[in-house]
Amino acid sequence: MGSNGSKSSTAVLPDALPPNWPSPTDEDLKVCPNRRIVVNGPQGYFFASNFIRTSKYTRWNFLPKFLAQSFHPRKKMANVYFFIISCMQMIPLITNTYGIPTVLMPLSFVIVVDAIFAALEDLARHRADDHANSSTTLTYSDRTGSFEETTWSEMKVGDFVKVRNREVIPADVIILAVKEKTAIAEGRAYVETKSLDGETNLKMRRALKSTLNEIKADSDVTKIGHGEVVMEHPNKLIDRFKGTFELTGDDKEVVDPTNVLLRGCTLRNVDWAICLVVNTGLDTKIMMSNTESPVKTSSLELRINVEIKRVVFYLIIVCLFGAGGNFVWKNQEMLDAWYLKWSTTDADETSKLHETDFKDYNATGDFLLSAIVQFFYYFLLMANFVPVSLYVSMSTVKFFQANFIESDVNIYHEETDTPTKVRTMALNEELGQISHIFSDKTGTLTCNIMDFRKCTVNGLSYGKGITEIGKAAYNLQGDAIPEDVLAGEAMSREHAEMHKQPHVNFYDQSIRFDLVGARGDEQAQALEDFFTVLALCHSVIPEVDEETKEVHLSASSPDDEALVCGAKFFGFEFIDRKQGIATLRLSNGEKRSYQILEMIEFNSTRKRMSVVVKVDDRIELFSKGADTVMIPRLSEKINQEKLLDDTCKHMTAYAKEGLRTLMICKRTLDPQWFEDWHGRFHTASVDLNEIEKRLSGEPNNIDLLAEDLEMDFRLLGASAIEDKLQEGVPECIADLANAGIKIWVLTGDKVETAINIAVACRLLHPEEYMEQVVIAGGESVNTKKKLVEKLIDSIRQFDEDVKQAGSADLVKPRALIIDGPSLIVAMEPEVQPYLLRFTQCCKAVVGCRVSPDQKRQMVHMVKEKVLGVKTLAIGDGANDVAMIQAAHVGIGISGQEGMQAVNASDYAIAQFRFLRRLLLLHGRWNYRRMSKLVCYVFYKNIVMAITQFWYAFQTGFSGQKFYFEGGIQLFNIAYTCFPIMLLGIFDQDVEEKMLLKYPQLYNNGIRDAFFNSKVFFNWILAGTVESLVISIFPLYALNYSGEPNDRQDLLPSLWHYGATSFTLVVLVTNVKLLLNQYTFPWFCMLCWVLSVGSWFLSAYGMTNVLLVDFDGYKVYEDLMRNHSYWLCILVVTVGLGARDFFYKGYQRAFHPQLHHVLQEIDKFGLGDLNQLEIPLPPQPHMLMKEPLDDLPEEVEVNDDIELMQRVRRATRTVSDLFHLPKGLGHAYDHSDLQTVIEERNIVLGRHTSRGGVAKRVSRIFLGKAASPKAGGAKKSFGDGLDMLSEDDE
């Protein structure tokens, strides 16, 4: 049987997958080592269909699967509890419901409501599946000899499919032929993989060489003859593909990832592509990659499970007390109770009663057994200690809370039409308790949309104005911003509005004049060379709109796109690249062509990119890169010292503004030297041993030859591009910090840039207001001992300041700035406790040069090793997924880096600033409402259940119930359910404007002030005391039952007492709710009246219909005419309500909280809220799970060689010729290398033959020509920081 298909007519075929799939053993793989697909012929194996199902349920498995989840003992403990209770109710010996499982009625109601929510949630998945399965594509029909429209679900492995431009790929396919927009067929196609890996840049793919020129029309697919594809079994590695394609009579051709289009991607830049289907349905990589995010449970729900256990323990104590009381009463009172001595002589109970003689009867044993039975009887009697409506109430409230969040127009991004999305509504209240925020920078705090802002050329700086980060740098130094700088910024913004050019925000008229020779021909030539390098040194793909003929750029890097757009702004427009010829259109309309001879790619290890071009018989090398790698490569043959000094000063000034800088250089090459070098470089590039060395991060001739080329540069200048802060980020961070939330920014930027950005975001403050502890770079902290000593000194200094000031809130706040290499040491087990201890002293932490895994480690460290924290991680890219999933709450930003972060998140927002409203408003409201709901639901059930226990003191602890059974079952469904749910949905203790104006109000959530053991105990204690009053008072207040002239001497029965007590339970619990409510909309009050009124109506109806409740027949009709009944209700309800009323008044008068003060100021106009100064809340005191002992005077830790090597690898390049700035490396795998090679070949206009580079490189990953080291696992090319082993993959 296939992985997910049905065999039907193909049942006789063997399965294409090995036995025990998807976890086959080595023996299983020997039986079926490869996947074999016949080309142009019937298949010899059974394959999965292309029908997909991502929904949880079907119409056939919904009921059993849902019930299994609903009665899971760990997830739905209350449901299991009540199911056991209903079973116990059917045991004759202990039942108090005549053997009828009455609890099943409310339990069934709860299950049905949960089932409706589950079905509604799954319905959206069904609709998405139906849409995908019913989508159409073109598949080849042997009958008609042409491509016909077919639904995706009908496609099969081995089919030929024709995908048109901008269509979504319906399955995993191999490209056989494409129709390109160029005259010469090169087999190139481009694919957008955003839905697969979250990346927005286009990726190049190629058709197979053996079929590219064979298929020109639809009917040609049969002319290629028969063949076979032998490939790997389905897997989820989206950047891997191993296989061969062989036509009869032809050689085998290696199939690698560049020949494959994956389901879910979008075809671009070609008219059509004819492909062969190889993986379908749930065997496709996108479906196998659809791993579910980890199941997260809110802290409040975890606390509820703890409190349920305590409530059950309380119930057991009450039952033991009741059983013990029954045993004592029977031993002491029963034998003397004359009314219990009478029995009948016959079983049919028709003969006369006679008195039983207990004289010689030893009843102790029977009484003990009776007490045990009585324990279970009490357990059933008070089973409602645990509320049956708890989960359904919570689910309903969370559903509406989620809808309010999604429909909030204030967190809707109109420009991109992106609303806030709730993906995990179970965490709604967790948003109101966040103590730590871990944020990415690029695309999260910034827009990740680069703008060309400034440049320096030949020692002259161009570009006016100042960035927000630059303003922050002035503030950090305490300097005023010059007027001319501010004026330049205003002009820059005005000019950008007038001359709108994507990715350019530049104003400086002098550069226009200099381009035409205002400062001489030398400066004009330098500017021309500078912008020519920007226009040619990149891997940007131009797309031409067929209708408008406009050129759209698709870049793998937003920096590249900004630089190319900057060159266009100054008259050097990149418009085309075909067959190795790049074409520029100059400002005068002239087109200039350049032959691209070679390209050496940019990566985070090399930190530079170079292209070799030929123009007018000259061979030029154009290069751009980080200053730290370009400066050592500048030529010493020409005097460039002053130019270099001026350029570096300008770049330093740009960096202070948070601008990203690249140094621009060129070199004129001797044709003979280049020809010799090029031959050696080409030989090294196709040498399997050299490729393997490069993959494994070892020294290799490819990189050494690149070093030989990239030297003796002539400096042209430097570019500066801006990644703008998102709108409202500084205000958002300031308010979150004022709320008491600690914010950690984790970025890959260097220390200086990260600090300036943090200051611009108001995360860091000038040194007179905040002490910054920097642990980054240098030799001072590159060992465990040195780092521990540094941390201990910082901790001691903070502790001394606290001791002198008297409080941690009065000392200068701390901020920690730490870089990636230092973090490698800091995360060692011996060092981590000291790092964690010091971060507890810090108000902010900035991590620089950190890898995705280090982000996850820092989140995990705080989450797992500090008590009481609630972590939130927010990011926008695939590199933030690990951090997002590790945190208590993960937030994805719908940005420029695809949807991978959003798909892994619990909540999705469009802008970072929306986090302010999401937490301070919705989060706080949701947390307070859910806390009140949970406490109240337990309280009302305690009041209702334990009232019967107090009555047992009047009945010899017999366990006699005195409630109507119908009333018990409807209590949680009709009488008290809806008002509390409306409170949980609509109640507002503080208005929206105050919550946003005074973020200090949020601090209650961080401290768990609304729901903790003390708060919960107070509610339970109040319920216990109030139930005692409700039980006892009617026993002495009710006088008689009946008509005044009819039965004056008839005392009320136990059912009259019970009905009165139950009326008080309904009234007191509902009044209690009103006293804990702040807003009273009309629909809430109407619901309250209907809920209370429903008891009076249903009680009258139940007691007047004999079949409903025989024991209470006509009881309520009697009570309605009883004046003492109404007086009893009035006195008890007012009396118990008054206690709460006066206590709340006392609390407001003598121990007010912040929200009390703001309520009264706003309500009674006692002051101007705009001038009210609220002190910052105290920092929550959160203890480490394993607190440090006294700080040691002398540090004793040992540094191992392996750690030192890891740190060194993280701070240098592969080459030992010069040093790079302290940074991180880049892990390369097969796909990375293949993409680099293919992009290089595209730029050069080369065709890769079957024996060329792509084929040879693929052989390494097919395992035929490589050592085990290369294997296919990721190998470090530089730093080794993200090095992965086979196990990691």
Side-chain angles (χ1 to χ4, degrees):
M1 180 74 181
S3 62
N4 298 294
S6 58
K7 293 191 175 182
S8 61
S9 61
T10 61
V12 296
L13 295 176
D15 202 328
L17 296 172
N20 300 313
W21 185 263
S23 302
T25 63
D26 291 341
E27 295 299 322
D28 296 331
L29 291 174
K30 289 179 181 178
V31 175
C32 186
N34 298 305
R35 187 178 181 90
R36 293 180 176 272
I37 300 167
V38 176
V39 180
N40 265 330
Q43 301 301 323
Y45 294 90
F46 169 75
F47 299 96
S49 73
N50 204 37
F51 179 87
I52 64 164
R53 183 176 65 82
T54 61
S55 56
K56 289 183 179 180
Y57 310 107
T58 66
R59 66 179 64 183
W60 309 113
N61 71 6
F62 177 78
L63 190 59
K65 194 171 182 178
F66 173 76
L67 290 178
Q69 293 175 347
S70 297
F71 291 97
H72 193 287
R74 292 183 180 178
K75 297 178 181 178
K76 299 284 188 178
M77 187 166 61
N79 290 348
V80 176
Y81 169 83
F82 281 105
F83 181 74
I84 294 173
I85 293 297
S86 63
C87 293
M88 293 173 64
Q89 285 182 322
M90 293 187 291
I91 301 175
L93 194 62
I94 60 174
T95 183
N96 58 4
T97 58
Y98 306 106
I100 301 172
T102 55
V103 172
L104 278 182
M105 184 181 74
L107 179 61
S108 299
F109 175 79
V110 169
I111 297 299
V112 168
V113 173
D114 274 347
I116 292 172
F117 281 124
L120 289 175
E121 185 179 2
D122 207 47
L123 183 61
R125 298 189 187 96
H126 275 282
R127 287 173 177 166
D129 291 345
D130 292 342
H131 176 74
N133 291 324
S134 60
S135 298
T136 59
T137 191
L138 296 176
T139 58
Y140 186 77
S141 170
D142 292 325
R143 181 177 55 83
T144 62
S146 62
F147 284 90
E148 296 182 347
E149 197 170 84
T150 309
T151 62
W152 284 18
S153 61
E154 294 175 336
M155 290 177 56
K156 301 183 295 297
V157 170
D159 281 351
F160 293 107
V161 60
K162 186 176 185 178
V163 184
R164 289 166 292 198
N165 190 36
R166 295 189 177 272
E167 284 188 348
V168 179
I169 314 300
D172 292 352
V173 298
I174 295 175
I175 310 173
L176 302 180
V178 297
K179 184 180 180 182
E180 301 171 75
K181 300 180 184 295
T182 58
I184 301 175
E186 297 179 322
R188 290 187 300 167
Y190 293 90
V191 63
E192 186 180 274
T193 61
K194 182 167 62 175
S195 63
L196 194 65
D197 57 14
E199 297 180 10
T200 55
N201 57 294
L202 297 184
K203 295 181 175 61
M204 193 281 304
R205 296 292 183 261
R206 282 187 178 275
L208 296 177
K209 302 300 179 183
S210 57
T211 58
L212 170 61
N213 296 312
E214 302 297 326
I215 301 177
K216 301 295 184 182
D218 293 355
S219 58
D220 291 341
V221 295
T222 59
K223 296 179 182 179
I224 62 175
H226 298 281
E228 184 181 43
V229 175
V230 180
M231 54 178 282
E232 62 188 359
H233 287 299
N235 59 68
K236 63 181 180 181
L237 303 177
I238 61 176
D239 57 354
R240 304 291 176 86
F241 191 92
K242 302 176 184 179
T244 61
F245 181 90
E246 182 181 14
L247 294 175
T248 304
D250 202 351
D251 294 334
K252 284 186 179 180
E253 181 174 358
V254 172
V255 182
D256 61 37
T258 63
N259 305 122
V260 177
L261 299 177
L262 302 182
R263 176 177 177 136
C265 301
T266 303
L267 186 67
R268 297 281 295 275
N269 270 24
V270 293
D271 291 336
W272 50 255
I274 292 178
C275 312
L276 177 70
V277 178
V278 293
N279 285 329
T280 49
L282 299 186
D283 285 345
T284 57
K285 290 185 181 290
I286 190 173
M287 297 306 298
M288 299 191 76
S289 300
N290 281 346
T291 56
E292 293 185 3
S293 298
V295 178
K296 297 181 181 180
T297 304
S298 71
S299 303
L300 186 138
E301 289 193 25
L302 295 176
R303 168 65 64 180
I304 288 173
N305 289 336
V306 174
E307 301 304 342
I308 285 178
K309 293 175 183 177
R310 293 175 177 172
V311 167
V312 172
F313 180 71
Y314 180 30
L315 172 61
I316 291 173
I317 291 176
V318 171
C319 293
L320 287 173
F321 193 89
N326 180 263
F327 176 77
V328 171
W329 188 88
K330 284 186 175 181
N331 266 310
Q332 296 181 356
E333 305 289 341
M334 183 174 177
L335 297 181
D336 296 329
W338 60 269
Y339 52 86
L340 295 177
K341 295 181 180 181
W342 298 91
S343 64
T344 58
T345 54
D346 299 327
D348 59 5
E349 301 185 4
T350 56
S351 56
K352 295 182 178 180
L353 294 172
H354 69 83
E355 186 175 359
T356 304
D357 185 10
F358 289 114
K359 190 174 185 180
D360 299 323
Y361 175 59
N362 184 4
T364 303
D366 284 347
F367 290 166
L368 183 60
L369 179 61
S370 176
I372 295 173
V373 172
Q374 200 69 15
F375 170 84
F376 290 103
Y377 187 87
Y378 271 109
F379 201 90
L380 289 180
L381 184 67
M382 291 177 288
N384 283 309
F385 260 48
V386 178
V388 69
S389 61
L390 176 63
Y391 290 139
V392 69
S393 298
M394 292 177 65
S395 297
T396 304
V397 168
K398 288 183 179 183
F399 175 79
F400 283 99
Q401 289 175 349
N403 276 279
F404 288 156
I405 292 174
E406 292 183 339
S407 59
D408 188 346
V409 294
N410 292 299
I411 49 178
Y412 163 76
H413 196 233
E414 187 174 1
E415 293 178 13
T416 58
D417 189 27
T418 307
T420 295
K421 190 70 177 175
V422 178
R423 297 173 54 85
T424 310
M425 70 179 187
L427 300 177
N428 287 351
E429 66 274 12
E430 197 86 339
L431 294 172
Q433 299 178 270
I434 301 301
S435 62
H436 288 69
I437 292 177
F438 297 83
S439 176
D440 176 42
K441 180 193 75 73
T442 303
T444 303
L445 301 178
T446 61
C447 299
N448 199 25
I449 300 176
M450 308 302 172
D451 284 346
F452 186 90
R453 189 67 193 261
K454 296 184 179 183
C455 63
T456 173
V457 182
N458 200 28
L460 294 178
S461 178
Y462 297 97
K464 295 183 178 180
I466 187 171
T467 66
E468 292 298 321
I469 298 171
K471 294 176 183 177
Y474 273 100
N475 294 332
L476 185 62
Q477 297 169 1
D479 298 333
I481 303 174
E483 290 296 329
D484 61 324
V485 174
L486 293 175
E489 175 63 15
M491 289 296 296
S492 178
R493 292 181 182 276
E494 182 179 343
H495 192 265
E497 286 295 321
M498 293 173 58
H499 307 278
K500 289 189 176 181
Q501 165 76 37
H503 305 293
V504 177
N505 183 10
F506 185 94
Y507 172 73
D508 192 343
Q509 293 295 340
S510 64
I511 195 171
R512 301 283 185 184
F513 298 112
D514 290 351
L515 274 167
V516 294
R519 300 196 187 188
D521 293 340
E522 181 183 351
Q523 185 67 18
Q525 185 61 48
L527 285 167
E528 182 177 340
D529 290 344
F530 180 86
F531 290 116
T532 300
V533 173
L534 296 188
L536 293 174
C537 188
H538 56 79
S539 58
V540 174
I541 301 169
E543 290 185 89
V544 180
D545 191 304
E546 294 296 332
E547 296 180 359
T548 64
K549 302 301 181 182
E550 292 184 1
V551 178
H552 301 284
L553 303 178
S554 178
S556 58
S557 164
D559 299 66
D560 266 359
E561 187 173 4
L563 293 177
V564 174
C565 288
K568 176 184 176 181
F569 185 73
F570 294 104
F572 298 81
E573 182 183 4
F574 171 68
I575 58 173
D576 197 11
R577 179 162 46 205
K578 295 177 182 177
Q579 285 85 50
I581 303 296
T583 305
L584 303 185
R585 181 163 51 209
L586 305 184
S587 56
N588 59 7
E590 175 192 349
K591 292 185 179 180
R592 186 180 298 175
S593 298
Y594 297 80
Q595 182 180 357
I596 309 297
L597 301 178
E598 190 55 80
M599 182 186 81
I600 306 177
E601 74 285 349
F602 188 103
N603 62 54
S604 60
T605 301
R606 285 172 34 80
K607 297 189 180 296
R608 62 192 183 277
M609 177 183 182
S610 298
V611 295
V612 181
V613 304
K614 184 177 182 181
V615 56
D616 299 333
D617 297 326
R618 299 192 318 273
I619 298 178
E620 304 274 9
L621 170 65
F622 295 157
S623 196
K624 65 183 181 184
D627 53 345
T628 49
V629 299
M630 300 301 288
I631 291 175
R633 290 171 169 76
L634 295 179
S635 175
E636 297 179 358
K637 298 176 183 178
I638 56 177
N639 185 6
Q640 304 186 87
E641 291 185 6
K642 184 178 185 308
L643 173 60
L644 177 60
D645 184 55
D646 291 340
T647 302
C648 288
K649 286 180 180 178
H650 295 153
M651 293 180 73
T652 301
Y654 298 158
K656 287 182 178 179
E657 293 190 48
L659 300 178
R660 301 154 71 104
T661 58
L662 287 175
M663 192 169 275
I664 310 300
C665 301
K666 67 174 287 188
R667 176 190 179 189
T668 301
L669 301 175
D670 178 72
Q672 187 62 41
W673 182 91
F674 174 73
E675 185 177 349
D676 176 65
W677 175 90
H678 198 219
R680 288 183 286 125
F681 184 77
H682 179 73
T683 301
S685 298
V686 297
D687 187 289
L688 292 178
N689 292 327
E690 296 302 322
I691 293 173
E692 184 180 349
K693 289 177 182 178
R694 196 182 193 202
L695 286 171
S696 58
E698 299 175 5
N700 59 87
N701 286 334
I702 299 174
D703 292 325
L704 290 175
L705 285 167
E707 296 278 354
D708 290 341
L709 177 71
E710 297 169 322
M711 59 187 302
D712 292 333
F713 281 124
R714 180 166 73 86
L715 176 61
L716 295 176
S719 63
I721 57 179
E722 178 187 12
D723 186 7
K724 288 184 178 180
L725 285 177
Q726 288 185 16
E727 180 186 350
V729 166
E731 295 79 7
C732 176
I733 287 183
D735 281 346
L736 294 175
N738 288 338
I741 300 174
K742 294 183 177 182
I743 302 172
W744 296 30
V745 173
L746 309 177
T747 176
D749 287 324
K750 59 185 180 180
V751 174
E752 294 81 4
T753 304
I755 289 176
N756 285 339
I757 289 174
V759 172
C761 294
R762 301 187 192 174
L763 179 63
L764 300 183
H765 303 288
E767 291 189 3
E768 59 265 30
Y769 303 111
M770 174 178 279
E771 184 171 326
Q772 299 174 11
V773 178
V774 181
I775 302 177
E779 299 294 323
S780 58
V781 290
N782 65 353
T783 67
K784 294 180 186 177
K785 183 175 182 179
K786 292 177 181 178
L787 186 52
V788 170
E789 289 173 347
K790 173 83 171 177
L791 291 169
I792 288 177
D793 290 343
S794 301
I795 294 169
R796 283 185 176 142
Q797 182 63 49
F798 180 79
D799 290 343
E800 289 176 8
D801 291 350
V802 172
K803 190 178 295 183
Q804 292 177 3
S807 170
D809 299 314
L810 301 178
V811 304
K812 184 188 292 187
R814 263 55 170 184
L816 172 66
I817 296 95
I818 185 169
D819 68 354
S822 301
L823 199 57
I824 295 175
V825 182
M827 296 305 289
E828 289 294 301
E830 305 97 314
V831 186
Q832 192 180 96
Y834 299 97
L835 173 67
L836 191 60
R837 171 70 172 80
F838 181 60
T839 59
Q840 293 301 101
C841 307
C842 296
K843 190 174 182 180
V845 176
V846 177
C848 316
R849 301 294 195 191
V850 293
S851 70
D853 191 59
Q854 284 179 315
K855 293 180 182 180
R856 179 196 61 79
Q857 288 177 354
M858 295 179 81
V859 173
H860 186 267
M861 175 185 71
V862 174
K863 177 183 175 182
E864 298 298 328
K865 298 193 175 182
V866 181
L867 295 172
V869 299
K870 310 294 186 302
T871 58
L872 180 148
I874 179 170
D876 74 317
N879 60 336
D880 301 315
V881 168
M883 173 178 73
I884 287 172
Q885 293 187 338
H888 289 97
V889 178
I891 304 230
I893 289 186
S894 307
Q896 302 297 312
E897 296 188 27
M899 299 296 291
Q900 198 151 330
V902 169
N903 292 338
S905 67
D906 304 302
Y907 298 85
I909 59 178
Q911 296 277 291
F912 183 89
R913 71 178 187 271
F914 294 162
L915 194 62
R916 171 175 175 259
R917 188 176 180 88
L918 186 65
L919 298 187
L920 303 185
L921 186 77
H922 291 287
R924 186 186 179 278
W925 273 346
N926 292 343
Y927 168 58
R928 182 192 162 274
R929 292 164 176 169
M930 290 302 300
S931 300
K932 196 73 72 176
L933 181 144
V934 172
C935 290
Y936 176 79
V937 168
F938 275 96
Y939 154 81
K940 66 185 179 65
N941 276 58
I942 291 291
V943 173
M944 193 263 293
I946 206 170
T947 299
Q948 296 194 99
F949 171 73
W950 301 124
Y951 185 73
F953 283 83
Q954 311 297 320
T955 62
F957 294 96
S958 64
Q960 171 65 49
K961 69 175 184 178
F962 70 152
Y963 288 161
F964 304 145
E965 187 60 34
I968 295 174
Q969 303 309 322
L970 291 175
F971 179 75
N972 283 308
I973 296 177
Y975 309 146
T976 58
C977 178
F978 297 106
I980 183 57
M981 286 199 293
L982 290 179
L983 180 145
I985 297 170
F986 296 105
D987 195 41
Q988 300 177 10
D989 63 327
V990 180
E991 291 184 2
E992 173 182 324
K993 62 179 181 180
M994 291 190 184
L995 285 175
L996 298 177
K997 186 174 181 59
Y998 301 104
Q1000 297 90 332
L1001 289 163
Y1002 184 85
N1003 197 253
N1004 284 335
I1006 302 176
R1007 295 184 289 107
D1008 289 339
F1010 294 136
F1011 189 80
N1012 52 54
S1013 294
K1014 180 180 178 181
V1015 170
F1016 188 80
F1017 173 78
N1018 287 337
W1019 278 87
I1020 299 302
L1021 180 62
T1024 303
V1025 172
E1026 290 172 12
S1027 68
L1028 177 63
V1029 176
I1030 290 172
S1031 178
I1032 300 302
F1033 196 86
L1035 294 176
Y1036 299 95
L1038 286 182
N1039 291 325
Y1040 65 90
S1041 174
E1043 293 288 346
N1045 300 321
D1046 187 13
R1047 292 179 290 175
Q1048 291 280 353
D1049 58 338
L1050 184 62
L1051 292 175
S1053 69
L1054 69 92
W1055 302 111
H1056 292 84
Y1057 289 128
T1060 305
S1061 292
F1062 198 86
T1063 302
L1064 288 172
V1065 168
V1066 173
L1067 280 172
V1068 169
T1069 54
N1070 278 283
V1071 169
K1072 181 93 165 184
L1073 183 66
L1074 284 181
L1075 292 172
N1076 282 274
Q1077 192 166 330
Y1078 287 95
T1079 53
F1080 304 92
W1082 66 268
F1083 51 85
C1084 288
M1085 297 309 301
L1086 177 63
C1087 180
W1088 190 91
V1089 171
L1090 292 176
S1091 296
V1092 173
S1094 65
W1095 155 246
F1096 290 95
L1097 293 175
S1098 61
Y1100 186 85
M1102 286 186 294
T1103 57
N1104 279 275
V1105 180
L1106 184 62
L1107 295 178
V1108 174
D1109 205 318
F1110 176 80
D1111 295 324
Y1113 185 61
K1114 293 292 184 179
V1115 164
Y1116 207 74
E1117 185 178 340
D1118 290 345
L1119 286 175
M1120 296 289 282
R1121 297 192 294 264
N1122 192 331
H1123 301 295
S1124 62
Y1125 166 75
W1126 296 107
L1127 180 62
C1128 177
I1129 289 174
L1130 179 64
V1131 172
V1132 175
T1133 303
V1134 172
L1136 293 179
R1139 185 198 70 85
D1140 274 22
F1141 181 81
F1142 286 112
Y1143 172 75
K1144 291 182 180 296
Y1146 168 80
Q1147 188 181 36
R1148 282 179 175 272
F1150 299 102
H1151 302 285
Q1153 296 184 20
L1154 177 58
H1155 66 279
H1156 294 148
V1157 176
L1158 294 176
Q1159 285 170 352
E1160 294 186 14
I1161 291 175
D1162 185 49
K1163 180 68 176 177
F1164 301 109
L1166 300 179
D1168 187 357
L1169 285 173
N1170 294 319
Q1171 298 180 359
L1172 184 65
E1173 293 187 5
I1174 304 295
L1176 294 179
Q1179 289 291 327
H1181 187 59
M1182 296 178 177
L1183 299 174
M1184 295 169 57
K1185 290 184 179 179
E1186 299 177 2
L1188 282 173
D1189 298 328
D1190 294 336
L1191 298 176
E1193 294 295 332
E1194 192 167 333
V1195 178
E1196 296 181 1
V1197 291
N1198 297 318
D1199 288 282
D1200 54 90
I1201 296 176
E1202 189 274 335
L1203 173 65
M1204 299 299 296
Q1205 290 175 340
R1206 285 168 56 204
V1207 176
R1208 280 198 293 271
R1209 282 197 298 268
T1211 55
R1212 65 175 176 84
T1213 60
V1214 176
S1215 171
D1216 292 322
L1217 298 178
F1218 53 89
H1219 293 284
L1220 281 181
K1222 312 302 184 284
L1224 300 181
H1226 183 75
Y1228 267 85
D1229 63 10
H1230 173 219
S1231 177
D1232 294 323
L1233 182 63
Q1234 192 65 45
T1235 300
V1236 166
I1237 291 173
E1238 292 296 339
E1239 284 186 352
R1240 177 169 166 268
N1241 287 333
I1242 292 169
V1243 172
L1244 302 179
R1246 294 176 183 165
H1247 298 275
T1248 306
S1249 66
R1250 286 196 294 269
V1253 175
K1255 181 177 178 182
R1256 295 187 183 186
V1257 172
S1258 296
R1259 285 176 181 169
I1260 295 176
F1261 292 91
L1262 288 173
K1264 296 178 180 178
S1267 67
K1269 191 183 235 181
K1274 283 193 174 182
K1275 305 298 180 183
S1276 171
F1277 185 58
D1279 324 297
L1281 190 61
D1282 292 328
M1283 187 181 295
L1284 302 177
S1285 65
E1286 278 92 354
D1287 293 337
D1288 292 322
E1289 284 293 300

